[in-house]
Amino acid sequence: MTTTGSSNDDNYARALDTAEHLLGFRLETFLEAASSEPANAADFKRIATVHAFGDSWPRTDLLDTRSRALVSVAATAALGIHEPLRGQLRIALNSGVTPDQIVEAFIHLAAYAGVARAFDSYAIAAQVFAERADVDAAD
């Protein structure tokens, strides 16, 4: 069942704005439901977006955005979930985490999540670093 209302709509809009600020692009195109998806897929995507970008990321009183970004890189890398890792790497770089600090996190990750997982996830980091270098070179 889809819940609607101005409060839910406002929370979702704020979450989407936060995601854009962190990622550098709007998420709406990734959140559109395909015709093959059940009706409640839109609820899942809205709830997950509000939870992550509306409830968690704005909590900067005790853990700043830069630190939260590095934690998110480590968590997604340790889990081996590559597309979310790609987004978390972009957020980290956009939040002031340096590539050297990200590599250092992977060194530490290898000790606790395993070398194979760290290498596998680091391949995504290397792609994001290259992507970023291409954009910087074009500017």
Side-chain angles (χ1 to χ4, degrees), residues 2-128:
T2 301
T3 56
T4 59
S6 65
S7 177
N8 287 332
D9 293 343
D10 292 345
N11 291 342
Y12 187 52
R14 277 193 297 279
L16 290 171
D17 290 345
T18 298
E20 179 181 20
H21 172 75
L22 293 168
L23 287 163
F25 57 85
R26 298 293 293 181
L27 281 181
E28 283 89 332
T29 56
F30 301 99
L31 300 173
E32 293 173 1
S35 60
S36 60
E37 292 180 89
N40 64 345
D43 289 339
F44 162 69
K45 292 175 183 182
R46 180 185 46 76
I47 289 166
T49 300
V50 170
H51 181 59
F53 293 105
D55 296 335
S56 183
W57 279 100
R59 296 176 54 88
T60 56
D61 290 349
L62 299 174
L63 192 62
D64 65 6
T65 301
R66 190 179 171 289
S67 299
R68 196 172 292 275
L70 201 50
V71 167
S72 298
V73 166
T76 53
L79 291 169
I81 47 177
H82 292 165
E83 284 312 306
L85 171 59
R86 190 179 308 281
Q88 297 310 318
L89 287 159
R90 289 178 182 133
I91 289 172
L93 292 166
N94 291 343
S95 299
V97 178
T98 68
D100 287 333
Q101 291 168 324
I102 291 170
V103 170
E104 198 63 32
F106 276 91
I107 291 169
H108 198 62
L109 183 70
Y112 287 93
V115 172
R117 177 58 52 92
F119 261 107
D120 186 47
S121 294
Y122 181 76
I124 302 301
Q127 291 171 7
V128 172

